[in-house]
Every structure is written in structure tokens, then in C-alpha cells.
């Protein structure tokens, strides 16, 4: 949906049709490989994320692309927080309750995700690192399947993008304990952050942005950056994204975006070094 809204915005500004092609296989690895080796005339624009540029490249020994060397970085666009949910039938009422239960049963609490390298997976890995507690990862084929595992009680908890579970929270089908951003979510303002819940400095806000294939001319990248900047200045577009829990990142142009990627690689390598699948 986000990519289609962006495509509509590009068409509105540049009067050029944009075709959105979804390639969801392997957590975005396939699509990102295609982008990295694609044509350099500006006709192929990639919608990349923290998962595809950071987590996948750390968790795979040969992802097929280098997140810094194989792309022209256009701009970061949005960030989005995750929310920690548990089955409504469980007794956990806070993050402290969950961590306490995990400490008494090392490895016996299970969390779901939409796959290895997703923000759902990595957020839980960060929680284990910060609390020094072992919990067991159960990867599913998709985020909806992983969310359903929490609803049904197949697993004990999961971290998911806030908008994707909002209606389940409001319907009391799952219980929300905290959000992963440094600030509280506008969608769930009464819910504390992980940092407020006893782990100071804890933060994971997934981000997404635009990239072009390596060797694309700088002038082409600059034109796309100006287009993206204009889209993020459209109050209607920003309001629509806010309803999805997305916060704009208007100050992240090509240079800042590249620096963000470099910092994120340095940050997450130690966290994920023990989770490399091969």
C-alpha cells in the first residue's frame, strides 16, 4: 500500500506512470538483488527498508548485494514502531511480567515473526540482548500468520508494526504491553515505551527509503530526491501515512541516508552475530 501511494505521488508530480511490482520472496532479498543489478537509466526505483538493507545483509552470508556499495541512495522516507503483543489469555500485564517469566523458564517462552531478518524477529533479539534472557524464535511465512499465532496462543508474544495489530488490540484479542520507539505512539498514546518499561535506551523504529541501482547518474538520483521531498511536503499524503503509523523523515537526503545505513550496520552486527543462518 505504501509503495502504491508513493507511485501515485510520483505520477502527480512528474506526470510519469509508475508500475509497482511486488517481489516479496525471501524477506525482500530477491527484490533487492534485482534493484542492485538493475538498469541505471532511472526506470527502476527500489523501495528498500531496514530489513532488506541491514538485517538481511547481516543474517545472510551471501545476500547478493552490498547495502552501501551496490546502490545509489536517494532518501529515507518514513519510520514506524513495533508494539509488543501477547495472547489476551496470558497473565502478562507489563514487559516486566514477560521478562520475569522468561527468566524463570529460559528458552521456554516462544515469540513469532514474519521470518528471519524481519523487524519482528530483530526486535525480540534486541530484547534478549538487553535482558540477557533466552527466548525461542518461531518464524512464520508471513506477518499475518505470525500475528495469528499470538492471537491463538500458539506463541507467547511477538513484536509487530503497530498499525497491523491495532484493531486486534482494540478488540481485546491480544494485549499490548509497550512500543519500541523512543516516544510513545500517536496510535496508542497510553501505552508506555520499552524504555519507560525498564530498559533505558531501548529503541527500534523500522525505516524505509528509496534506492537506485549502482552506477545510476547522480542527477537522476537528485531528481528522485526532489520528488520524494515534495511528496513528503504534501499534508494530505503525510496525514494518510500517519494513519498507518508512519512518521516522515524529511531531513534524510542521499548523504544522510547513506550515513544512516552505515550506522545501522555497525549497531546491529553485534546484536545479530549469534543469529546468522548462513
Amino acid at each position: 500500500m505504501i509503495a502504491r501511494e508513493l507511485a501515485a505521488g510520483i505520477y502527480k508530480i512528474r506526470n510519469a506512470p509508475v508500475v509497482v511490482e511486488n517481489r516479496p520472496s525471501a524477506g525482500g532479498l530477491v527484490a533487492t538483488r534485482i534493484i542492485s543489478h538493475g538498469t541505471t537509466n532511472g526506470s527502476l526505483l527500489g523501495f528498500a527498508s531496514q530489513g532488506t538493507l541491514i538485517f538481511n545483509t547481516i543474517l545472510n552470508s551471501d545476500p547478493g548485494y552490498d547495502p552501501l556499495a551496490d546502490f545509489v541512495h536517494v532518501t529515507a522516507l518514513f519510520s514506524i514502531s513495533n508494539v509488543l503483543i501477547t495472547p489476551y489469555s496470558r497473565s502478562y500485564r507489563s514487559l516486566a511480567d514477560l521478562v520475569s517469566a522468561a527468566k524463570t523458564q529460559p528458552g521456554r517462552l516462544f515469540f513469532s515473526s514474519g521470518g528471519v531478518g524481519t523487524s519482528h524477529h530483530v526486535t525480540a533479539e534486541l530484547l534478549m540482548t538487553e535482558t540477557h534472557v533466552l527466548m525461542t524464535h518461531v518464524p512464520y511465512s508471513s506477518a499475518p500468520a505470525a500475528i495469528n499465532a499470538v492471537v491463538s496462543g500458539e506463541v507467547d508474544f511477538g513484536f509487530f508494526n503497530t498499525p497491523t495489530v491495532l484493531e486486534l488490540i482494540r478488540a481485546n484479542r491480544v494485549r499490548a504491553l509497550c512500543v519500541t520507539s523512543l516516544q510513545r505512539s500517536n496510535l496508542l498514546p497510553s501505552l508506555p515505551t520499552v524504555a519507560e518499561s525498564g530498559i533505558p535506551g531501548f529503541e527500534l523504529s523500522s525505516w524505509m527509503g528509496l534506492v537506485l541501482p549502482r552506477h545510476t547518474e547522480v542527477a537522476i538520483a537528485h531528481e528522485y530526491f526532489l520528488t520524494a521531498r515534495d511528496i513528503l511536503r504534501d499534508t494530505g499524503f503525510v496525514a494518510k501515512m500517519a494513519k498507518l503509523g508512519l512518521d516522515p523523515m524529511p531531513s534524510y537526503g542521499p548523504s544522510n541516508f547513506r550515513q544512516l545505513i552505515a550506522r545501522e550496520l555497525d549497531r546491529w552486527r553485534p546484536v545479530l552475530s549469534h543469529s546468522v543462518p548462513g
Side-chain angles (χ1 to χ4, degrees), residues 239-259:
K240 191 177 293 185
M241 294 300 101
K243 291 180 180 179
L244 300 175
L246 295 165
D247 296 316
M249 301 171 70
S251 62
Y252 279 86
S255 177
N256 287 339
F257 189 22
R258 182 180 176 85
Q259 291 171 18

Side-chain angles (χ1 to χ4, degrees), residues 223-274:
E223 285 297 319
Y224 273 118
F225 165 66
L226 294 178
T227 300
R229 186 187 63 182
D230 288 345
I231 291 172
L232 291 180
R233 288 175 174 174
D234 184 323
T235 55
F237 178 84
V238 171
K240 191 177 293 185
M241 294 300 101
K243 291 180 180 179
L244 300 175
L246 295 165
D247 296 316
M249 301 171 70
S251 62
Y252 279 86
S255 177
N256 287 339
F257 189 22
R258 182 180 176 85
Q259 291 171 18
L260 171 67
I261 294 167
R263 289 196 306 271
E264 289 277 272
L265 288 167
D266 289 341
R267 177 191 179 190
W268 291 107
R269 280 194 183 103
V271 175
L272 298 174
S273 59
H274 63 284

Side-chain angles (χ1 to χ4, degrees), residues 5-268:
E5 292 291 343
L6 278 170
I10 293 171
Y11 176 76
K12 180 180 178 181
I13 292 171
R14 301 180 64 153
N15 196 30
V18 179
V19 177
V20 177
E21 184 175 351
N22 292 315
R23 295 288 186 96
S25 301
L29 274 174
V30 173
T32 311
R33 286 173 186 155
I34 292 171
I35 297 162
S36 67
H37 303 297
T39 180
T40 61
N41 62 4
S43 62
L44 180 62
L45 179 67
F47 187 64
S49 69
Q50 183 185 43
T52 56
L53 294 181
I54 307 300
F55 303 151
N56 276 344
T57 57
I58 295 172
L59 289 166
N60 290 274
S61 58
D62 184 20
Y65 56 86
D66 183 298
L68 291 172
D70 287 337
F71 302 94
V72 173
H73 307 92
V74 178
T75 185
L77 292 169
F78 308 104
S79 65
I80 185 171
S81 66
N82 284 339
V83 59
L84 170 56
I85 60 171
T86 69
Y88 201 76
S89 59
R90 295 291 201 277
S91 61
Y92 314 126
R93 296 295 183 271
S94 66
L95 176 63
D97 289 344
L98 182 73
V99 172
S100 177
K103 286 182 177 179
T104 61
Q105 309 171 72
R108 297 296 299 276
L109 259 66
F110 297 85
F111 66 91
S112 61
S113 81
V116 172
T118 59
S119 69
H120 328 136
H121 167 214
V122 174
T123 308
E125 291 284 352
L126 180 61
L127 178 65
M128 288 192 285
T129 298
E130 294 292 333
T131 59
H132 308 288
V133 176
L134 178 64
M135 307 175 205
T136 300
H137 180 207
V138 184
Y140 285 76
S141 60
S142 66
I147 293 168
N148 285 336
V150 179
V151 175
S152 66
E154 293 175 34
V155 297
D156 298 288
F157 71 97
F159 288 95
F160 299 99
N161 289 166
T162 304
T164 63
V165 294
L166 194 58
E167 293 308 314
L168 293 173
I169 294 169
R170 290 172 174 167
N172 291 334
R173 296 186 63 195
V174 296
R175 179 174 282 109
L177 302 184
C178 50
V179 294
T180 62
S181 49
L182 283 177
Q183 289 79 37
R184 294 191 179 197
S185 169
N186 291 331
L187 298 178
L188 295 166
S190 65
L191 204 63
T193 65
V194 175
E196 290 175 320
S197 301
I199 307 179
F202 188 105
E203 187 268 337
L204 191 152
S205 292
S206 301
W207 46 261
M208 52 206 76
L210 298 176
V211 296
L212 290 161
R214 182 183 181 185
H215 301 312
T216 301
E217 291 183 10
V218 173
I220 294 174
H222 185 66
E223 285 297 319
Y224 273 118
F225 165 66
L226 294 178
T227 300
R229 186 187 63 182
D230 288 345
I231 291 172
L232 291 180
R233 288 175 174 174
D234 184 323
T235 55
F237 178 84
V238 171
K240 191 177 293 185
M241 294 300 101
K243 291 180 180 179
L244 300 175
L246 295 165
D247 296 316
M249 301 171 70
S251 62
Y252 279 86
S255 177
N256 287 339
F257 189 22
R258 182 180 176 85
Q259 291 171 18
L260 171 67
I261 294 167
R263 289 196 306 271
E264 289 277 272
L265 288 167
D266 289 341
R267 177 191 179 190
W268 291 107

